[in-house]
Amino acid sequence: MSEARHPLMRLISKLSDHRGTIVLAAICSVLNKIWDLAPPVLIGMAIDVVATQEDSFLAGFGYTDPWVQLQVLAAITVAIWVLESLFQYFYGVLWRNLAQTAQHELRMQAYRHIQDLEMQWFSEQSTGGLMAIMNDDVNQLERFLDHGANDLLHVGTTVIVVSAIMFSVAPEVAILAILPVPVIVGGSFLYQRRIGVRYTKVRKEVADMNAILNNNLQGITTIKSFTAEDREADRVSEASQSYRDANRDAIRLSASFVPIIRMAILFAFTANLLIGGKYALEGKIGLGEYSVIVFITQRLLWPLTRLGETFDLYQRAIASTTRVLDLLDTEVGIVEGERHLVSVEGGIKFDSIQFTYPGRESVLRGIDLDVPAGKTVGLVGATGSGKTTLVRLLLRFHDPLEGSAMLDGHDVRDLTLSSLRGSISLVSQTTTLFPGSVRDNVQYGRPGASDEDMVEAARIAEALGFIDDLPEGWETNIGEDGHRLSGGQRQRIAIARAVLKDAPILVLDEATSNVDNETEAALQRSIERISRDRTTLIIAHRLSTVRNADVIAVMEGGRITERGSHDELVSQSGLYSRLWAVQTGEASA
C-alpha cells in the first residue's frame, strides 16, 4: 500500500514523467560541482610551479618554462570557470523549471482530486486545511526541488571527488579528513528523523491557523455585528502562538546542528593542517600537494555544515509531501457509473430511500416519490426534515444507504456524473458567484453561449433591468462571491445561469428565501416561466412558492406525510393546512 512507502518514493513515482529532466539536472549539478572543486588543485599546481619551477608537476607534460606553465594554468582556469558557470546556469534552469512544473502539477492533481471527492468528505475537512495543502505544502516541495535536491547532489559529489583527490595525494592525511564524514552524515540522518516529527506538527498548526483565518475573513460581517473583533483577534493569536511554538521547537533542534558539526570539522581540519604540514616539512609531500590538502579539506568539510539546512528543507518538504500525497491517495467514495444518457426526458423517482449522515440520526426513512417528466413538484416541511438531502441524493453528492434515486428509469449510480448533473440545473439558497464579470457568471451555465441566449436568460430571470443599469453593464466586475450585488440581484444572476444551462430538470432549493417581497414576486414569475415543459423540484418554506405545483409533498421527520395539490392539502387540515393558515395570517404561529 502507498501508506507503507517512503514519501520520497511516492513523490518520485508522481514525477515519473519528468525522469529525463531530473537525470539531466542531476548531471549538470554533478558536473558543476566537479569544476567547482578544481580551483584548489589549480592553486596547488601554481604553488608547485613557483616553488619547483622546471621540476613541477606540469613540467612533466613538456612545459619546462615556468612562465609557460603559469600561462597553461591560466588557460585551464578560464576553461574551468566557464564550464562551471555554464553548468550552474543549466542546473539552475532545469531544477527551477522542474520545481515550478512539479508544483503546478501536484497542485492541479490535488485540486482535481478534491473536486472528485464526495460531499461527505468535505464535511469532515476545513477549508483552511485544504488551502494549506494546496498552497503551503506544495510550495514547500517547490522550495526543496529548487534548492535542496541540488545541495544534496553537491555534497555527495564533493565527498567522492575530494576523497579521490586526497587519497591520490596523501592517503594517510586523507583518512583523517574523511574520518568525520560518517559521523556528520550519520548525525544528519539522526537529526532528520527527530526534526521530522516537529515539522509534521508545524504543518498541522499552520493548517489549523489557516482554517481560522479563512473562516473569520468569510464571517467578517458577523464578527463586526457582534463587536467580537477582540475575541477573534485573541483566537487568531492563540492559533498563531501555537504555530510559533511548534516552529520554535523545530528551530531549537535545527539551530543546534551546525555548531555540533563544526566541532567534527574542526578536528579534521586541524589534524590535516598539522599532519599534512609535518609531512611537507619532512619532504614526504611537496608544497603544492600540501596546499591542495589544506584547501581541498576546507572544500570537503565546510559544505557539510549546510547538511543541517538542507535536511531541514528536505524534512519540511517530506512532511508537506506526505500531506499532499495522502490527499491524492484518498479514495473517491462516489464511484461513477458507465451509462451515459444522451437524451433525458426528466422523469424522477425516489424508491424506498433510507439515508443517514455519519454520526447523526436517520435523515430519510423510506421515501417514495414519483416526479413525472415535465411536472412540477414542491417539497415543503420544517428545517431538518430531509428536503435538501433528497436533492443531494438525486445529484449523487451522496448515495442512499438503502433504496435508489432514479432518472428516466435508471439508477443514478449507474449513470456518468456528467450526464446526470448535466441534466439538472440547480439554484440553491446559498448563491455562489465567482470573481469576474456579470457575463462570466451568467455564461457559467453554458460556456460559449451566444449573446442572444445570454440576454434571453437574463430577461427570463428578470435580471436584464439591473444589469443594464450597472456601471459597465455585462462587463461589470461583481467582486468575490458577487459581494458588489444585492442578495436579490445575486439570486437573479443564479437563476439566469440556470436558465442558460437549459437542462431538462430544474431544482430550486429555497431560491426565494433570502429576498424581499418584491424580489420574491419577480423570482416567482421567473420560476413559472422556466419551469414550463421541464421537470421541476421546488424546495420552499414559503408555501406561496409551491402553490401552483402539480404535486406538493410534505416532509416530516424524514418521511412524506402528505401529498397532493395545494387545494387538496389545505382542505385536509394537516401540517400543510396549518402552515398555510399561519403564512396567510389566518392563524397565529
Side-chain angles (χ1 to χ4, degrees):
M1 293 179 64
S2 59
E3 288 77 9
R5 297 169 60 200
H6 191 277
L8 185 59
M9 295 299 101
R10 295 168 66 192
L11 175 62
I12 290 173
S13 68
K14 290 292 181 183
L15 299 176
S16 59
D17 291 343
H18 305 289
R19 189 177 292 113
T21 302
I22 294 173
V23 171
L24 186 58
I27 291 172
C28 290
S29 293
V30 170
L31 290 176
N32 164 260
K33 178 48 64 175
I34 289 173
W35 299 123
D36 178 61
L37 292 171
V41 177
L42 295 174
I43 292 172
M45 293 175 68
I47 293 174
D48 186 48
V49 169
V50 173
T52 59
Q53 298 187 18
E54 289 83 359
D55 296 325
S56 70
F57 175 75
L58 274 181
F61 291 91
Y63 303 105
T64 55
D65 187 340
W67 176 242
V68 174
Q69 294 178 38
L70 291 175
Q71 290 177 330
V72 170
L73 283 176
I76 295 174
T77 300
V78 170
I80 287 174
W81 279 63
V82 168
L83 288 171
E84 180 192 355
S85 300
L86 280 175
F87 284 109
Q88 183 174 8
Y89 169 78
F90 291 147
Y91 83 64
V93 170
L94 289 168
W95 281 122
R96 290 181 183 180
N97 283 334
L98 175 64
Q100 294 301 317
T101 300
Q103 173 185 236
H104 169 72
E105 291 183 353
L106 275 179
R107 180 178 289 119
M108 290 311 303
Q109 287 177 31
Y111 178 73
R112 290 183 185 279
H113 188 69
I114 284 174
Q115 290 190 130
D116 292 336
L117 293 170
E118 65 279 9
M119 297 302 293
Q120 179 59 42
W121 181 86
F122 281 93
S123 69
E124 299 168 358
Q125 310 299 317
S126 70
T127 302
L130 295 178
M131 291 295 293
I133 290 175
M134 289 189 289
N135 282 324
D136 295 341
D137 288 327
V138 171
N139 289 343
Q140 287 290 348
L141 174 61
E142 180 260 339
R143 293 186 192 104
F144 173 70
L145 288 176
D146 199 351
H147 301 290
N150 177 68
D151 288 345
L152 288 176
L153 286 168
H154 275 182
V155 170
T157 303
T158 299
V159 171
I160 294 171
V161 172
V162 171
S163 299
I165 293 173
M166 292 192 67
F167 273 102
S168 66
V169 173
E172 301 89 344
V173 179
I175 292 174
L176 294 174
I178 301 301
L179 193 61
V181 173
V183 176
I184 294 172
V185 174
S188 298
F189 279 108
L190 178 62
Y191 157 84
Q192 178 249 126
R193 285 197 297 271
R194 294 186 61 190
I195 203 168
V197 178
R198 289 164 170 79
Y199 280 131
T200 298
K201 183 178 180 182
V202 168
R203 302 316 307 154
K204 177 185 177 299
E205 294 296 342
V206 76
D208 291 346
M209 184 175 65
N210 281 349
I212 293 174
L213 289 171
N214 181 75
N215 185 76
N216 285 11
L217 291 175
Q218 289 185 342
I220 191 65
T221 302
T222 302
I223 292 172
K224 286 180 174 294
S225 68
F226 281 92
T227 61
E229 291 91 342
D230 290 341
R231 273 183 284 160
E232 291 305 323
D234 289 342
R235 199 151 66 100
V236 171
S237 177
E238 184 179 345
S240 182
Q241 183 63 44
S242 295
Y243 174 56
R244 181 186 182 190
D245 291 342
N247 264 305
R248 277 179 169 174
D249 194 25
I251 289 169
R252 277 193 294 268
L253 182 58
S254 175
S256 66
F257 179 81
V258 171
I260 293 173
I261 296 303
R262 281 178 180 271
M263 295 303 100
I265 291 172
L266 176 63
F267 165 78
F269 188 77
T270 305
N272 282 353
L273 186 70
L274 293 174
I275 296 176
K278 186 173 184 295
Y279 281 9
L281 291 173
E282 294 174 352
K284 294 181 179 179
I285 59 175
L287 181 60
E289 291 171 320
Y290 177 58
S291 301
V292 170
I293 289 173
V294 171
F295 285 113
I296 209 73
T297 300
Q298 187 269 343
R299 297 300 294 271
L300 167 65
L301 297 175
W302 286 118
L304 293 177
T305 61
R306 295 195 60 189
L307 270 182
E309 179 183 338
T310 303
F311 274 128
D312 187 86
L313 199 61
Y314 169 79
Q315 198 56 56
R316 285 178 181 267
I318 288 300
S320 294
T321 297
T322 300
R323 284 163 50 86
V324 175
L325 297 182
D326 284 349
L327 172 60
L328 289 173
D329 288 342
T330 302
E331 293 185 5
V332 177
I334 299 294
V335 180
E336 186 170 6
E338 297 181 355
R339 182 185 293 273
H340 186 84
L341 295 182
V342 178
S343 177
V344 177
E345 295 181 6
I348 299 171
K349 184 176 181 181
F350 297 99
D351 185 14
S352 303
I353 294 289
Q354 300 273 357
F355 182 76
T356 302
Y357 292 107
R360 292 169 55 182
E361 295 181 359
S362 180
V363 178
L364 298 176
R365 302 179 176 91
I367 294 290
D368 291 297
L369 181 63
D370 197 352
V371 184
K375 298 297 183 179
T376 298
V377 172
L379 293 175
V380 299
T383 300
S385 58
K387 306 183 299 297
T388 297
T389 298
L390 207 56
V391 169
R392 294 168 77 86
L393 294 178
L394 175 63
L395 285 160
R396 276 207 84 193
F397 293 160
H398 309 279
D399 281 337
L401 300 179
E402 295 182 23
S404 59
M406 308 186 77
L407 174 59
D408 288 348
H410 304 288
D411 192 318
V412 296
R413 287 170 289 200
D414 297 331
L415 304 179
T416 62
L417 294 178
S418 61
S419 66
L420 170 63
R421 295 172 183 169
S423 304
I424 302 172
S425 290
L426 173 66
V427 181
S428 64
Q429 176 181 0
T430 305
T431 302
T432 299
L433 299 181
F434 299 94
S437 66
V438 173
R439 178 189 300 275
D440 295 335
N441 277 274
V442 174
Q443 283 191 333
Y444 198 84
R446 179 154 50 98
S450 66
D451 287 350
E452 292 77 12
D453 290 344
M454 185 177 64
V455 170
E456 178 63 16
R459 185 188 65 77
I460 293 173
E462 299 201 13
L464 199 56
F466 85 79
I467 291 175
D468 289 338
D469 290 338
L470 291 173
E472 298 177 48
W474 285 92
E475 306 308 323
T476 301
N477 191 309
I478 63 174
E480 185 177 357
D481 200 22
H483 71 272
R484 296 177 184 172
L485 302 178
S486 69
Q489 290 172 334
R490 296 171 72 250
Q491 201 72 332
R492 293 188 207 191
I493 292 291
I495 290 178
R497 183 170 63 190
V499 171
L500 189 62
K501 184 176 180 180
D502 195 27
I505 299 171
L506 174 66
V507 176
L508 302 166
D509 187 359
E510 301 287 3
T512 64
S513 62
N514 292 325
V515 296
D516 56 47
N517 291 335
E518 182 180 352
T519 302
E520 181 192 7
L523 292 175
Q524 185 62 42
R525 291 192 296 270
S526 300
I527 291 169
E528 290 175 1
R529 293 192 190 100
I530 61 178
S531 62
R532 293 171 190 159
D533 302 322
R534 77 180 76 225
T535 308
T536 307
L537 275 176
I538 304 176
I539 298 174
H541 280 108
R542 294 179 180 177
L543 302 186
S544 57
T545 306
V546 299
R547 180 174 183 175
N548 297 323
D550 297 302
V551 176
I552 300 171
V554 181
M555 297 186 67
E556 289 184 86
R559 293 185 174 89
I560 295 177
T561 57
E562 303 174 50
R563 72 181 77 201
S565 67
H566 170 77
D567 293 335
E568 291 170 344
L569 293 175
V570 168
S571 65
Q572 289 177 8
S573 301
L575 176 61
Y576 186 90
S577 178
R578 295 195 300 273
L579 291 173
W580 179 255
V582 171
Q583 292 189 17
T584 56
E586 297 177 8
S588 63

